[in-house]
Amino acid sequence: MKALIVDDERLARQELRRLLLAHSEIEICGEARSGEEALACIRRQAPEVLFLDIQMPGMTAFDLLEKLEDVPQIIFTTAFDIYALRAFEAGAIDYLVKPVAPNHLAAAISRLRPPASASSLQRVFVKESDRCWLVQTTDIYLLESEGNYTRLYFGNERALIPRSLSALENRLDSSVFFRASRRHLINLRWVAAVEPDVAGGLVIKLKPGIDVEMSRRRAALFRQALSF
Amino acid sequence: MKRTGKFYWLCQICGWGAYTVVGISSSVLEHGWTRDVWGYTFFFLYNIGLTHLLRGIIKHRHWASLPLPQVLLRLGVASVAIGVIQAALVVGIYTALEGSLGVWRDWHAVAFLWTGVTIATTVWNILYLAIVSLRHSREARRQQNQMQIALGNAELRALEAQLNPHFLFNCLNSIRGMIVEDAAHAQDMVTKLANILRYTLQRDRNHTVPIETELEAVSDYLALEAVRFEDRLRIHIDLTEEVRRLEIQAMLLQTLVENAINHGVEQSPESGLLSIRGVREGERLRIEVENTGTLQNPESRSTQIGLANARERLRILYAERATLDLLASQPGRVTATLLIPAIQ
């Protein structure tokens, strides 16, 4: 797996690089000293894993994540900013405290998912006031357009991100996400039931108990999509 | 307790003594040296005796801690009762001395006598109560003061600028890396870190240290930060020998320097400058810690809390004689200005 080390301290980067020597599955594709450098490096190299220091000059780890369209898997590294990670849902992310213990590093690496074969969007960083999530796109059951913003439905959350629905649709796996209406994109893996409505369209019942109406024209496409 | 007792007896003797002297004088002026003088002497003695008895009851039954209306009621009843006892004693002793009731055959005279001693006892009661409450409130205030001092110490401990854990762990991480790269340098870093830890843990809380001493810790701290930041940190220290001998609250300069590093140098990807200047201005010492950077936006709570804590610590040690301000001294520069009394 291609990994990028992001840390403003040379010794910290060097130390992590040395510890990663023991893990042949991790191939270090670069080092970045700041958020800006990391951004350029991610666009150029498309790493699958980021070892990301939270406190960096200029751009913090969170600022960096907000700028990323597709977020690689993240292992945060921090000296003492664990509180900064409390914004994340418990257990949603992995972090290492510095100095890094080799066994902790091994455990974090073992939890990494094998890289997805498709080039579709895997993970989205969502930040709402003081909370944030790294959402797996497979966990999103509904995307709802709100102008230039899109509301993501996942778990018990409905969070807004500053990206348009069509932009997201282009990056999502089209065999999983289906445009149910002008405003809605549904995750087919989360469909619980489909019922016809009086106008000849369909009502899609999603597992968390949300109904999405589908016009007659879209319903025809929907039947087509499911009938292959 | 002994002093309280002396004061009590002085009041008793002077008070009742004065009252008796007035009585004896008027009696002598009116009737010459009669046996009334003896009567007044007895009067003096048993007034002291009776009120002393009353004091015993007040103390034993803790009247002073009762609600005011209850105390007043009790003292009122006591005054009336003592008035009756005294009137009876006066009449009794007179009769014993003279062999007949004499002037006390007239009930007006007895009533007059009773009124007199009741009023005197009431006055005694009021004075006694006033003195006791005054003493109580003074004691309470003294205890409150003591508590405030204790609280101040506790507050100071809570506000104490601890060594920033972020620094500590980053530093340990750097040392771990340095061990492989340059073992001698790593050893030097461990020594410096130990010096800072010792200074933070051992320094006499709540006290001042010579700036020289504080500067040693600050220098070790900066040397370690320089390892982390490498070429990103430039340091300039301008403190005269005279200034270095002055006293400063322990960890105060360290807090300002740490703040400058965390919010200034650490935040700027390019090289950052940190400069420490100190000048004596008559009775005051001005210390400026300047760093590259911009003032944090007001929503940054950490800066505000750090600054508020430092100010609170200053207030505890220097009262109102110290100020601390954080200003954008020029574009891209932030200066913390500290004014404290120049103490040798």
Side-chain angles (χ1 to χ4, degrees):
Chain A
M1 289 173 84
K2 276 164 74 181
L4 175 69
I5 299 175
V6 189
D7 198 306
D8 60 322
E9 286 174 47
R10 184 185 62 84
L11 279 170
R13 292 194 302 272
Q14 181 183 290
E15 176 64 10
L16 190 55
R17 194 181 260 276
R18 210 179 54 76
L19 285 167
L20 282 169
L21 284 178
H23 299 270
S24 55
E25 69 272 38
I26 302 291
E27 173 213 335
I28 299 163
C29 68
E31 288 181 10
R33 292 179 303 170
S34 66
E36 282 83 2
E37 276 191 23
L39 203 56
C41 206
I42 291 165
R43 284 180 182 151
R44 208 169 47 238
Q45 310 255 10
E48 287 140 337
V49 186
L50 283 192
F51 288 94
L52 182 56
D53 183 25
I54 295 171
Q55 202 176 44
M56 285 181 298
M59 199 192 274
T60 68
F62 293 98
D63 299 333
L64 171 65
L65 290 177
E66 273 188 303
K67 289 199 164 63
L68 292 178
E69 219 171 273
D70 193 359
V71 183
Q73 300 189 65
I74 309 278
I75 295 175
F76 288 102
T77 60
T78 177
F80 201 68
D81 287 336
I82 299 157
Y83 68 90
L85 299 175
R86 288 205 193 119
F88 282 100
E89 295 298 293
I93 46 139
D94 230 327
Y95 68 86
L96 294 168
V97 290
K98 292 190 256 187
V100 176
N103 58 329
H104 288 169
L105 178 65
I109 287 173
S110 71
R111 281 191 292 269
L112 291 173
R113 297 169 187 223
S117 50
S119 62
S120 58
L121 193 60
Q122 299 297 312
R123 232 165 271 99
V124 185
F125 178 67
V126 182
K127 190 164 184 286
E128 243 190 12
S129 57
D130 56 344
R131 292 197 301 163
C132 43
W133 300 266
L134 265 172
V135 192
Q136 292 288 133
T137 49
T138 47
D139 293 337
I140 303 171
Y141 56 87
L142 176 66
L143 296 90
E144 187 177 39
S145 169
E146 292 195 13
N148 287 328
Y149 284 71
T150 302
R151 190 170 293 284
L152 305 183
Y153 290 67
F154 56 94
N156 294 319
E157 310 297 337
R158 300 169 173 201
L160 212 53
I161 58 166
R163 289 157 85 172
S164 74
L165 185 61
S166 27
L168 282 166
E169 188 183 9
N170 286 338
R171 295 281 286 111
L172 285 164
D173 185 353
S174 59
S175 66
V176 176
F177 288 89
F178 182 82
R179 192 70 173 251
S181 74
R182 198 174 51 78
R183 287 190 58 210
H184 295 107
L185 192 64
I186 58 169
N187 185 332
L188 295 177
R189 294 192 182 135
W190 285 83
V191 175
V194 180
E195 288 170 7
D197 75 356
V198 284
L202 292 171
V203 175
I204 313 293
K205 294 192 170 295
L206 295 170
K207 276 177 201 154
I210 284 179
D211 295 354
V212 180
E213 286 177 17
M214 201 183 276
S215 70
R216 191 198 293 228
R217 192 176 61 81
R218 301 247 183 210
L221 290 170
F222 181 65
R223 287 193 189 92
Q224 239 174 35
L226 289 188
S227 66
F228 58 84
Chain B
M1 225 45 223
K2 269 214 153 122
R3 252 191 61 223
T4 318
K6 261 188 201 162
F7 180 70
Y8 163 76
W9 284 114
L10 191 72
C11 286
Q12 278 286 56
I13 291 165
C14 290
W16 288 122
Y19 187 73
T20 311
V21 167
V22 169
I24 291 176
S25 318
S26 64
S27 164
V28 168
L29 286 175
E30 224 174 295
H31 312 291
W33 290 93
T34 61
R35 262 186 292 203
D36 282 358
V37 176
W38 283 110
Y40 275 110
T41 310
F42 280 120
F43 184 70
F44 171 71
L45 289 175
Y46 62 65
N47 266 327
I48 287 185
L50 282 171
T51 47
H52 186 63
L53 208 65
L54 178 61
R55 179 199 186 224
I57 294 171
I58 292 175
K59 275 191 149 178
H60 191 67
R61 296 282 171 95
H62 302 291
W63 284 12
S65 54
L66 291 174
L68 194 64
Q70 285 209 39
V71 179
L72 291 180
L73 181 75
R74 271 156 223 240
L75 290 180
V77 170
S79 300
V80 171
I82 287 177
V84 170
I85 296 168
Q86 284 187 324
L89 280 169
V90 169
V91 175
I93 288 167
Y94 182 89
T95 314
L97 286 174
E98 296 294 324
S100 75
L101 272 174
V103 45
W104 306 116
R105 235 186 288 275
D106 183 1
W107 69 270
H108 280 104
V110 178
F112 188 72
L113 170 69
W114 174 78
T115 312
V117 286
T118 302
I119 289 172
T121 313
T122 307
V123 169
W124 183 93
N125 277 333
I126 291 170
L127 285 175
Y128 183 78
L129 200 66
I131 290 168
V132 166
S133 350
L134 197 71
R135 189 169 287 151
H136 273 202
S137 75
R138 228 181 248 169
E139 176 67 11
R141 210 175 316 142
R142 197 180 60 82
Q143 276 181 353
Q144 206 184 357
N145 281 346
Q146 264 180 350
M147 219 146 83
Q148 248 157 12
I149 291 168
L151 208 67
N153 284 339
E155 259 179 292
L156 195 67
R157 269 196 296 281
L159 295 169
E160 203 116 285
Q162 306 287 349
L163 197 66
N164 181 358
H166 188 261
F167 159 74
L168 181 61
F169 290 109
N170 266 326
C171 186
L172 286 169
N173 195 43
S174 301
I175 292 172
R176 199 173 197 276
M178 192 60 96
I179 289 171
V180 181
E181 192 181 283
D182 182 346
H185 195 173
Q187 287 178 327
D188 184 44
M189 285 173 78
V190 170
T191 311
K192 288 195 159 74
L193 185 59
N195 284 346
I196 300 173
L197 285 174
R198 192 173 298 113
Y199 182 69
T200 330
L201 296 171
Q202 280 189 345
R203 91 202 115 85
D204 201 355
R205 296 163 195 282
N206 204 0
H207 280 89
T208 58
V209 293
I211 287 183
E212 187 70 68
T213 310
E214 174 95 355
L215 203 58
E216 275 169 31
V218 170
S219 302
D220 281 344
Y221 167 78
L222 286 173
L224 288 170
E225 290 287 42
V227 173
R228 284 181 55 208
F229 295 118
E230 302 193 315
D231 50 354
R232 267 167 59 203
L233 178 62
R234 284 178 297 133
I235 302 156
H236 178 75
I237 298 175
D238 182 11
L239 295 166
T240 61
E241 281 303 312
E242 190 207 1
V243 167
R244 282 169 196 244
R245 279 194 299 272
L246 295 175
E247 295 274 318
I248 191 171
Q249 185 169 38
M251 287 298 278
L252 184 52
L253 187 58
Q254 170 65 22
T255 307
L256 296 183
V257 169
E258 246 185 67
N259 221 42
I261 295 276
N262 291 338
H263 299 291
V265 183
E266 177 133 27
Q267 299 304 322
S268 61
E270 303 314 315
S271 84
L273 175 76
L274 175 90
S275 86
I276 304 170
R277 289 183 299 268
V279 230
R280 186 181 181 151
E281 294 176 346
E283 292 307 297
R284 295 210 293 182
L285 170 63
R286 173 193 290 271
I287 290 183
E288 291 177 345
V289 177
E290 188 182 47
N291 63 271
T292 1
T294 47
L295 265 188
Q296 298 269 317
N297 45 4
E299 62 195 74
S300 153
R301 282 182 65 240
S302 66
T303 319
Q304 295 309 317
I305 292 172
L307 211 59
N309 280 0
R311 285 202 180 111
E312 190 60 19
R313 289 179 62 223
L314 281 175
R315 197 186 57 75
I316 291 168
L317 184 64
Y318 297 111
E320 307 304 319
R321 295 171 299 144
T323 61
L324 174 60
D325 291 295
L326 195 63
L327 281 173
S329 41
Q330 46 175 298
R333 291 282 171 90
V334 177
T335 306
T337 306
L338 175 72
L339 277 171
I340 54 171
I343 305 164
Q344 205 75 47

